[in-house]
Amino acid sequence: MKLLEWASKEVFKKFGIPTQTGKLARTVEEAKDILKGMKYPVVIKAQVPVGGRGKAGGVKLAKDYDEAVKKAEEILNLTIKGIKVKKILITEAVDIAKEYYVSVTLDRRTSKAVFITSKEGGVDIEEIARTKPEAIVKKHITEPLKPYEARELAFQVFEDNKLALKAAGIYQKLSEVYFATDAQLAEINPLVVTPANDLVAVDAKIILDDNALFRHPDLLQYKDMDYVNPEEEEAKEAGLSFVKLDGDIGCMVNGAGLAMATMDVIKYWGGEPANFLDVGGSSNPEKVKKAMDIILRDPNVKVVFINIFGGITRCDDIAAGLIEAFKTMDVRVPVVVRLTGTNEEIGRKMLAESGLPLKTAETMSEGARMAVELARGQG
Ligand code: GDP
Ligand code: MN
């Protein structure tokens, strides 16, 4: 679960990380009310679950009320990386002398957390890694930073001693946020030094581990219903794992590993998956029907590839679900099916006898290739 900037800042405040206080507005009217009581200049920021808002025009400074209203309206009308802005955060602007980067994230290669900081802040860390790798300071950790560790890191990044000591406090607190909330990422970019030599977290980003959310009922209040993908939510409720992607080949697979492999093989044959979809272990026909329904709602989908390796999942259940789906829905695209494993003979027979216009494949690779060709209109 991604916390938006405003929510991440709420969490930061609880841990004592200095940041601006702000207010949320969902309409220009709400923005006007907030702006009447503000000290200027203010900064107006799109609250969307993607980065790079600044470059996309989603972060704007305003020197007075009139300018602020105008910019609030502009930002509320923006779409950033395909996501329509639903609300803005209005805060007092801080004066910036210099921008730094700080984060704690999971390093899957070493199975440890890694603390990352740099004196090149404000831009993407990937960008810094590419152009100035020597400007990045890293340390693998398995618990929050100890004071001496935080100081050691801060002195590599901040030239001024007093500032380094202040930064060390923030480093420690950010690492506490990371571990205490079971985060996958806790990031401040930029951490700003003001002309008065204060440090302020001007941006904030926390990504929580969904599998640990049950330990943090207090953080569930930050789940943002403005930006949930309705299909993904619906799938979750039906016991399906569904992630929408940008391609045109709809996939219905059982098991996350097989779902990943299927996407790989589709890519191998030059195609692009439209989604990741795992119907799970004991998939009953209802789930299969629901999966078809969700996949077919995506207008980009040109073909559906059903790749089932029957174990606990029974191929006859999948076949029954498919037959139901065809009966009740307008299946407007070709469907390629590869069924193997438990009850495959029964499942295949059911499909053959149903007379449905399905293309069948013997292997995953063959099925993927057929799907890619059909998506290109060559099937
Ligand atoms: P992002 O583009 O999504 O990462 O959004 P940020 O919150 O990081 O803002 C982008 C940039 O806008 C920052 O790197 C700053 O340079 C600038 N910015 C954001 N807030 C302020 C502020 O309060 N004062 C000033 N002067 N600049 C700001
Ligand atoms: Mn930022």
Side-chain angles (χ1 to χ4, degrees):
M1 179 167 111
K2 262 186 200 165
L3 302 193
L4 293 181
E5 177 190 0
W6 71 269
S8 305
K9 283 182 168 172
E10 294 286 309
V11 176
F12 280 7
K13 272 180 228 158
K14 282 186 196 148
F15 283 80
I17 297 174
T19 177
Q20 306 120 296
T21 39
K23 290 202 173 116
L24 287 170
R26 304 180 95 260
T27 62
V28 180
E29 291 314 308
E30 281 176 24
K32 281 181 181 165
D33 278 348
I34 295 165
L35 288 165
K36 276 172 196 152
M38 297 286 296
K39 257 204 286 172
Y40 288 85
V42 295
V43 58
I44 299 166
K45 311 177 84 174
Q47 297 298 288
V48 280
V50 290
R53 296 165 302 166
K55 272 187 219 152
V59 176
K60 291 207 166 114
L61 290 159
K63 61 180 182 318
D64 56 36
Y65 175 83
D66 289 339
E67 192 185 4
V69 172
K70 195 168 145 270
K71 295 201 164 158
E73 184 163 11
E74 278 168 23
I75 295 177
L76 278 166
N77 284 324
L78 276 182
T79 297
I80 300 177
K81 295 182 184 164
I83 298 174
K84 170 97 193 61
V85 175
K86 295 274 180 68
K87 55 189 163 216
I88 51 177
L89 179 69
I90 302 174
T91 60
E92 279 171 19
V94 293
D95 272 346
I96 298 182
K98 188 164 165 43
E99 303 184 49
Y100 293 80
Y101 178 93
V102 198
S103 75
V104 188
T105 189
L106 180 66
D107 178 8
R108 292 178 195 275
R109 220 156 23 96
T110 56
S111 310
K112 284 181 183 153
V114 59
F115 185 95
I116 303 171
T117 179
S118 174
K119 59 176 183 297
E120 304 287 329
V123 284
D124 282 350
I125 190 69
E126 287 85 0
E127 179 80 21
I128 312 168
R130 206 166 41 240
T131 55
K132 272 195 177 176
E134 70 283 355
I136 294 180
V137 177
K138 283 192 203 178
K139 183 183 175 67
H140 282 96
I141 53 177
T142 53
E143 54 182 15
L145 290 169
K146 305 248 179 350
Y148 77 90
E149 292 174 316
R151 286 195 295 269
E152 194 172 87
L153 287 160
F155 276 105
Q156 293 176 63
V157 171
F158 289 82
E159 275 156 27
D160 181 88
N161 285 359
K162 265 199 197 144
L163 215 49
L165 289 174
K166 269 191 203 169
I170 293 174
Y171 282 13
Q172 250 189 295
K173 285 171 185 153
L174 190 71
S175 66
E176 280 162 19
V177 168
Y178 176 86
F179 288 102
T181 62
D182 288 310
Q184 291 177 333
L185 172 74
E187 183 185 75
I188 310 176
N189 186 27
L191 174 66
V192 155
V193 178
T194 66
N197 260 3
D198 283 320
L199 287 169
V200 183
V202 156
D203 193 6
K205 184 170 173 187
I206 298 176
I207 301 176
L208 300 170
D209 181 349
D210 287 347
N211 294 311
L213 262 185
F214 72 98
R215 306 209 294 193
H216 306 284
D218 55 316
L219 296 174
L220 284 179
Q221 60 172 309
Y222 298 127
K223 185 173 171 91
D224 207 296
M225 296 317 285
D226 276 336
Y227 296 105
V228 296
N229 176 316
E231 266 83 37
E232 291 186 5
E233 284 300 300
E234 192 182 333
K236 207 184 281 169
E237 269 164 34
L240 307 164
S241 322
F242 172 82
V243 180
K244 171 146 172 37
L245 302 168
D246 296 330
D248 52 13
I249 301 177
C251 304
M252 189 194 308
V253 188
N254 68 313
L258 187 61
M260 296 299 284
T262 304
M263 295 181 350
D264 280 349
V265 178
I266 288 173
K267 288 236 176 198
Y268 172 82
W269 287 114
E272 289 293 333
N275 64 277
F276 168 99
L277 193 152
D278 171 11
V279 292
S282 59
S283 48
N284 59 32
E286 274 306 309
K287 266 189 176 175
V288 174
K289 218 174 106 185
K290 186 70 161 180
M292 258 322 243
D293 178 22
I294 291 173
I295 291 173
L296 290 172
R297 267 185 249 162
D298 178 351
N300 294 336
V301 167
K302 290 195 190 133
V303 53
V304 178
F305 178 31
I306 301 176
N307 185 21
I308 302 296
F309 191 91
I312 300 169
T313 307
R314 291 168 22 193
C315 293
D316 53 323
D317 272 350
I318 301 284
L322 262 182
I323 293 169
E324 258 312 291
F326 269 89
K327 261 193 222 152
T328 53
M329 285 169 224
D330 170 30
V331 182
R332 57 182 166 79
V333 296
V335 177
V336 179
V337 186
R338 180 250 185 173
L339 283 183
T340 190
T342 310
N343 291 359
E344 62 180 40
E345 299 83 2
I346 308 174
R348 284 187 192 152
K349 191 157 166 270
M350 285 166 71
L351 292 180
E353 285 171 358
S354 71
L356 293 176
L358 301 166
K359 319 252 175 203
T360 50
E362 289 294 316
T363 66
M364 163 154 77
S365 185
E366 186 196 346
R369 189 175 47 79
M370 284 165 72
V372 172
E373 283 170 1
L374 285 161
R376 286 190 188 134
Q378 307 168 340

